[in-house]
Amino acid sequence: MNPLRSVGARLGLALAVVVAAALVLVDLIVVPSLERNLVNSKLSQLREAAPSIGSQLLNSSSFALDDNIQAASDSADARVVYFTVLTWSPPKLTVYADSSPVTSADVENDPLVLRAFADFPHLVSGTVTSGGQRYAEVADPLFGGPVVLLRAPLRDSLQTIHLVRRRLVVAGLIALAASLLVGQLAASMFARRLRRLERAADRIAGGDFGASVEDPGKDEVGQLAAAFERMRQRLAQLENARREFIANASHELRTPLFSLGGFLELMADEDLDPATQAEFMATMREQVARLTKLATDLLDLSRLDAGRLTVRREHVDLSALAEVLADEFRAVALSSGHELELENGIETAALGDEERALQIGRILVENALIHTPAGTPVRIRTARQNGSALLTVEDEGPGIPAEHAGQVFERFYRVEGSVASGSGLGLAIARELAELMGGSVDLHTVPGRTVFALALPAEAISREKGRVAEPSLQ
Ligand SMILES: Nc1ncnc2c1ncn2[C@@H]1O[C@H](COP(=O)(O)OP(=O)(O)OP(=O)(O)O)[C@@H](O)[C@H]1O
Ligand SMILES: [Mg+2]
């Protein structure tokens, strides 16, 4: 593997680059400005001292000149040269006094003195290099012709700068090494935690949802681990639900198939009288109908799960729908000994899918007829309430015990002791379909009275025109 692909190497390298860049910046900006400051402060010291030294020397008698220039040199901490200009061009001068005389030539050729000639009679200051050394210099032309030159070596100041620079380089190198080390350590800690997460992700991808994903940190990696753990729990739940669904579905399919197989064998093996044959055929038809219903329900559920079941958003008049339901179930109700009543309210226009709303209505009415004893009434009602259009199916059967009421909407859930032999899918499909249409199916049940209510978003009513408005597209 390319060594630069590891987080540790990259982090260490990035830190090293930052430290190196900081060092270069300090060397290019901070050190020169420090140097400038030191030189400028030396020059301003000399500029301040020059006029008073000049006037002192101007007023000195020739006997006291050497003593005075020495005293001035000590107080200004600089070499003091007092001279006069003989000719301007070429520059020629006579030195009256020099606190540390070397030769007059080094003063004559001093670039600052040459500038003093050019700028006469103004004070000039700057740095000069002489004999490999840098000096701060001030040349002050005095009234009447003589010039006082102050020259202070910058060696000490520059040495300080060099010392600072050397220390900075050493400190920088230490910081560089430390940053590489810290970067490597921090990254290897992160990398270890990330590798643990990677292993957990591989485990989950392989279908092993058993071990939880843990990370003690509260930082981003810790948050990522917590997100992984939530994902693992959800996937484990879905996997359980899937397994349960397959087990339930195969069980539900096996029962009628088993029964059909048995009848087929009986009919093939035995000589049956026509009456028994007809009875067997009727039972087989029932089983086939049950299988067909089960297959349709399972298909609906799988489409709902895959998000492939689309519903329309159209005008549905629940009152008209209730009439269709009543007509459809009148004969069944009669045969099961139930009295089917219809009470239609007003303004029951809803937005939804007519075919799916009818499917929900059928599930609810069928339940009311199947799960209640003969002789009890079943009422279909429609109404408008709190912005919803309602279709309720009410019966006077035994009701659903409170401990089961919350679960009857789960797939394959049947209340124990139910007389009828359904698959427990009807209410699950009804609720999921209603929610897909932006509505709901709710249950209110007490012994002797059970109400299932389908609520769909009510269609807006145009009061001026006194009719139901077109559904808004927004
Ligand atoms: N009106 C009702 N009165 C009493 N119990 C009911 C009523 N409606 C539903 N139940 C109970 O709720 C359970 C779930 O109903 P659901 O319609 O989901 O399944 P099912 O009727 O058993 O089978 P199917 O899938 O054929 O509809 C039923 O088994 C029954 O025990
Ligand atoms: Mg049912």
Side-chain angles (χ1 to χ4, degrees):
M1 188 175 99
N2 178 355
L4 275 185
R5 280 177 66 183
S6 88
V7 186
R10 285 186 190 180
L11 197 64
L13 198 70
L15 281 173
V17 168
V18 170
V19 171
L23 268 180
V24 170
L25 275 182
V26 166
D27 198 54
L28 288 181
I29 298 171
V30 180
V31 172
S33 95
L34 191 64
E35 188 177 324
R36 255 193 319 277
N37 281 350
L38 286 173
V39 170
N40 285 345
S41 86
K42 195 77 196 168
L43 282 172
S44 67
Q45 259 177 32
L46 296 181
R47 270 196 302 269
E48 265 171 39
S52 65
I53 293 177
S55 64
Q56 213 180 321
L57 296 177
L58 205 59
N59 297 326
S60 305
S61 64
S62 51
F63 307 111
L65 197 57
D66 280 343
D67 287 345
N68 284 347
I69 206 162
Q70 209 53 58
S73 162
D74 291 344
S75 77
D77 195 16
R79 176 183 170 193
V80 181
V81 188
Y82 183 51
F83 59 91
T84 190
V85 181
L86 293 178
T87 59
W88 294 101
S89 128
K92 194 105 189 89
L93 49 86
T94 294
V95 174
Y96 293 141
D98 190 340
S99 64
S100 49
V102 188
T103 59
S104 66
D106 73 325
V107 179
E108 221 161 78
N109 298 324
D110 188 308
L112 201 86
V113 172
L114 295 177
R115 254 178 65 203
F117 289 130
D119 287 3
F120 190 82
H122 298 295
L123 180 147
V124 287
S125 63
T127 61
V128 296
T129 307
S130 168
Q133 286 243 29
R134 272 184 85 196
Y135 296 95
E137 270 191 8
V138 168
D140 188 10
L142 306 174
F143 179 75
V147 177
V148 67
L149 177 78
L150 302 184
R151 172 188 274 198
L154 288 170
R155 192 181 46 241
D156 289 350
S157 309
L158 294 179
Q159 257 172 7
T160 313
I161 303 282
H162 288 141
L163 186 74
V164 168
R165 184 175 262 153
R166 270 201 305 279
R167 294 270 156 89
L168 270 176
V169 169
V170 173
L173 287 177
I174 293 174
L176 202 70
S179 65
L180 278 171
L181 196 73
V182 169
Q184 191 65 40
L185 274 177
S188 74
M189 263 162 61
F190 262 105
R192 208 173 316 135
R193 292 166 68 193
L194 288 176
R195 268 197 298 277
R196 253 205 323 262
L197 279 187
E198 188 188 351
R199 280 198 297 276
D202 283 344
R203 252 194 343 261
I204 293 171
D208 174 6
F209 307 117
S212 59
V213 186
E214 280 164 10
D215 186 280
K218 300 258 176 290
D219 53 8
E220 285 86 344
V221 180
Q223 284 167 14
L224 184 68
F228 263 56
E229 174 58 11
R230 285 196 296 278
M231 182 184 79
R232 181 196 69 81
Q233 286 174 0
R234 183 77 189 116
L235 284 174
Q237 248 175 26
L238 288 175
E239 177 61 10
N240 279 344
R242 190 182 69 87
R243 290 214 179 117
E244 212 173 294
F245 182 83
I246 292 175
N248 283 328
S250 11
H251 176 78
E252 289 301 318
L253 285 167
R254 216 175 42 211
T255 318
L257 282 174
F258 199 67
S259 142
L260 274 175
F263 278 117
L264 279 174
E265 297 232 332
L266 278 178
M267 287 179 82
D269 289 352
E270 291 174 28
D271 258 350
L272 300 171
D273 60 281
T276 320
Q277 245 183 21
E279 196 188 315
F280 280 9
M281 287 297 279
T283 320
M284 283 168 75
R285 263 193 212 101
E286 260 173 41
Q287 296 300 340
V288 170
R290 191 175 159 190
L291 269 178
T292 314
K293 180 174 176 296
L294 188 62
T296 318
D297 286 354
L298 289 176
L299 196 66
D300 274 350
L301 282 173
S302 84
R303 282 197 190 131
L304 277 165
D305 285 345
R308 280 196 294 115
L309 201 146
T310 48
V311 289
R312 285 198 294 268
R313 208 169 152 72
E314 60 191 5
H315 162 84
V316 184
D317 186 358
L318 292 188
S319 294
L321 197 127
E323 275 168 31
V324 174
L325 275 175
D327 287 346
E328 263 186 33
F329 281 93
R330 205 166 301 281
V332 185
L334 206 63
S335 68
S336 62
H338 289 86
E339 197 181 319
L340 193 60
E341 297 168 16
L342 174 65
E343 279 177 34
N344 266 337
I346 50 164
E347 294 179 353
T348 54
L351 278 180
D353 187 309
E354 186 165 7
E355 206 35 60
R356 295 300 176 185
L358 199 57
Q359 184 180 354
I360 298 172
R362 283 186 191 120
I363 290 171
L364 301 182
V365 177
E366 194 183 83
N367 276 352
L369 293 175
I370 290 180
H371 300 296
T372 56
T376 52
V378 171
R379 262 172 239 108
I380 305 174
R381 287 202 180 101
T382 56
R384 187 182 176 99
Q385 199 181 70
N386 303 332
S388 294
L390 298 183
L391 173 92
T392 58
V393 178
E394 182 183 330
D395 65 58
E396 292 183 10
I400 300 172
E403 65 270 25
H404 295 284
Q407 286 160 286
V408 288
F409 291 100
E410 287 172 14
R411 295 175 182 191
F412 297 106
Y413 194 85
R414 280 178 302 209
V415 178
E416 268 170 48
S418 262
V419 213
S421 56
S423 345
L425 291 177
L427 287 176
I429 294 175
R431 177 167 268 184
E432 288 188 39
L433 281 177
E435 283 171 359
L436 204 61
M437 289 188 276
S440 61
V441 175
D442 293 303
L443 163 65
H444 309 275
T445 178
V446 285
R449 184 168 178 264
T450 300
V451 184
F452 279 97
L454 161 69
L456 288 179
E459 198 178 33
I461 293 170
S462 164
R463 300 264 167 216
E464 307 89 59
K465 294 182 186 166
R467 66 177 182 82
V468 175
E470 287 298 313
S472 153
L473 289 175
Q474 284 152 13

